[in-house]
Amino acid sequence: MQLITAVLLLPALALANPVAKRQSKAPPADEIKIISAQSSGNGCPQGSVTSTISPDRTLVTFGFDAFQTYIGPSAKQADKTKQCQIHLSLQYPGGFQYSVVDATYHGWARLDAGVTGTFVSSYFFSQAASQTCTTRSTISGAQWLNGDVYTKQDLIESTAVIWSPCGANGILNVNNRIALSSTNAKQTGELSNDDATVAFTHQLHVAWQPCVM
């Protein structure tokens, strides 16, 4: 398993997209289809997740309506941690395989002093579950006292990239977990998507390469 520290940034500091440098020959866009995009976990109950794919089939975007955590005197233990696993099945021509080279998350956080938010993401293909890439990031501090939008960007180094099996389809699993912890039971905070103008989105950039037989 590969463990990578993710980059957590305010929107104005988002990094440049490295996909263009890594993109290689891809199959025709009209031959790549999302067969299904399913989700499971207490952070994404049925009907709360949407998915779209860009025309060139290199960007998949998920939208979450119920992925949110709370901490404070009135919060339940189950409110402090939420987990959501996405199962994305793509159909693509034989002779090609794909990988996730970076992923971007947007959300909302408001944290009292002493409250820490943690965001962990794991990527693996069902056909090779032992080859997992995991990223972890945390946030805390005065800049979150009044609430703000955050951007988490996972930049997967080439040595840690995991590839789908060669063939006609591959099931990508992305397991996301958000959690809140505090040093005082009276402190409150939220790491969520419940702001009226801020949607929690998950974007996956996909790279393609011909299979080497």
Side-chain angles (χ1 to χ4, degrees), residues 156-180:
I156 312 301
E157 297 297 331
S158 58
T159 55
V161 165
I162 54 174
W163 290 93
S164 69
C166 291
N169 58 69
I171 300 175
L172 172 67
N173 302 280
V174 183
N175 192 359
N176 292 315
R177 181 174 63 87
I178 56 177
L180 291 172

Side-chain angles (χ1 to χ4, degrees), residues 3-28:
L3 179 61
I4 298 174
T5 301
V7 179
L8 190 61
L9 303 164
L10 292 177
L13 301 179
L15 297 182
N17 183 355
V19 174
K21 296 180 180 179
R22 301 181 188 178
Q23 189 76 22
S24 56
K25 183 179 179 181

